[in-house]
Amino acid sequence: MKKAIFWDLQGTLGGEAVADIDSFVPYEFSKDALSLAKDNGYMNIIITNQSKIAKGLVTFEAYEKTKNQTLEYFNSKRTLIDEFLCCPHQSGDNCSCKKPKTGLIQKCVKKYALDIGECFAIGDMGKNEIVMARNAGCGGVLVLTGGGIGSLYEFRHTWKDFEADIIAENALEAVKIIIKGKQ
Ligand SMILES: [Mg+2]
C-alpha cells in the first residue's frame, strides 16, 4: 500500500501562517524536504485551508495563480507534489474538508489506496494539522516555522487535548525525524 505526507502550505512549506495566499514564497529547505520524502516512498499531498476565499478576502483566481506557481517551482525538475488540495470554505459552511476535518485526506486515501497508519500530517498549527492527524489516524508533526511556536505555547489551549507525535524545527527536519523513526 502507498503512504503519504499531508503537508500544510503556509507557515510550513513557505510564507506566513495567516497571510494571504498570493504572498506565498517557498522556504529554501522545502524542496529538499519534499524530495527526501519522495526518496523514502512518500507521496506529497498539500492540503490548505483557504477560508479567505469564502469570506471574499481572496479570489479563487489568486489562489489558483499561487497554486500553479508553487507547482511549477516544486515540480519543474521532478514531480515533488502529487496533489494540491484546498478547502475554500469557512466555519459556518459545515463542509467536510476544512482542517481539522479529514474530508480531503479521506478522498486521497480512497484515490491512492493509502495506508493511513503509515501517513503523516505536517503543519504549523496544532489545532489544524495535529487535530486532523488524530481525526484521520495518521502521525502528526508540528513544525516551529510560521505559527508553530505560537501554536506550541501561546495558543496551546486551542489543541490542549492533543499531542504531536513529533515536534520539529522545520519541514526538512520533520522528514528526517520521520525517516529515522522508520529505520
Ligand atoms: Mg499553516
Side-chain angles (χ1 to χ4, degrees), residues 8-12 17 124-125 129:
D8 172 50
L9 185 66
Q10 290 163 286
T12 301
D124 68 321
M125 289 227 189
E129 287 85 33

Side-chain angles (χ1 to χ4, degrees), residues 6-179:
F6 304 108
W7 291 97
D8 172 50
L9 185 66
Q10 290 163 286
T12 301
L13 290 174
E16 290 172 49
V18 292
D20 287 355
I21 183 81
D22 53 7
S23 68
F24 180 81
V25 176
Y27 298 142
E28 53 172 336
F29 50 75
S30 295
K31 237 179 212 177
D32 289 343
L34 294 170
S35 188
L36 186 62
K38 277 257 148 170
D39 292 342
N40 284 273
Y42 290 91
M43 296 181 72
N44 288 316
I45 296 171
I46 290 178
I47 296 180
T48 176
N49 278 358
Q50 296 296 330
S51 60
K52 285 182 181 179
I53 295 174
K55 292 171 186 160
L57 301 172
V58 165
T59 63
F60 192 73
E61 289 69 32
Y63 161 73
E64 284 278 301
K65 193 176 168 204
T66 300
K67 174 182 169 177
N68 291 334
Q69 284 170 348
T70 306
L71 284 171
E72 200 178 304
Y73 172 80
F74 285 114
N75 287 2
S76 57
K77 288 205 183 116
R78 175 189 183 196
T79 303
L80 295 178
I81 296 172
D82 299 285
E83 286 271 2
F84 195 121
L85 304 169
C86 155
C87 166
H89 307 108
Q90 54 185 326
S91 303
D93 291 345
N94 282 322
C95 66
S96 59
C97 51
K98 187 171 168 28
K99 293 185 280 188
K101 292 182 183 173
T102 60
L104 295 175
I105 288 185
Q106 304 308 336
K107 196 172 140 180
C108 293
V109 166
K110 243 188 214 165
K111 183 170 175 183
Y112 297 110
L114 299 173
D115 179 354
I116 191 68
E118 290 292 314
C119 296
F120 287 86
I122 301 180
D124 68 321
M125 289 227 189
K127 72 182 173 84
N128 286 347
E129 287 85 33
I130 303 302
V131 178
M132 176 180 71
R134 290 287 92 83
N135 290 342
C138 65
V141 184
L142 184 78
V143 287
L144 299 182
T145 49
I149 290 173
S151 186
L152 188 58
Y153 297 106
E154 191 183 352
F155 299 106
R156 187 65 180 88
H157 62 279
T158 61
W159 53 295
K160 61 177 168 33
D161 297 331
F162 302 86
E163 294 286 343
D165 296 298
I166 296 167
I167 295 173
E169 196 179 323
N170 59 43
L172 180 56
E173 292 306 313
V175 178
K176 285 182 184 169
I177 294 169
I178 287 171
I179 288 160

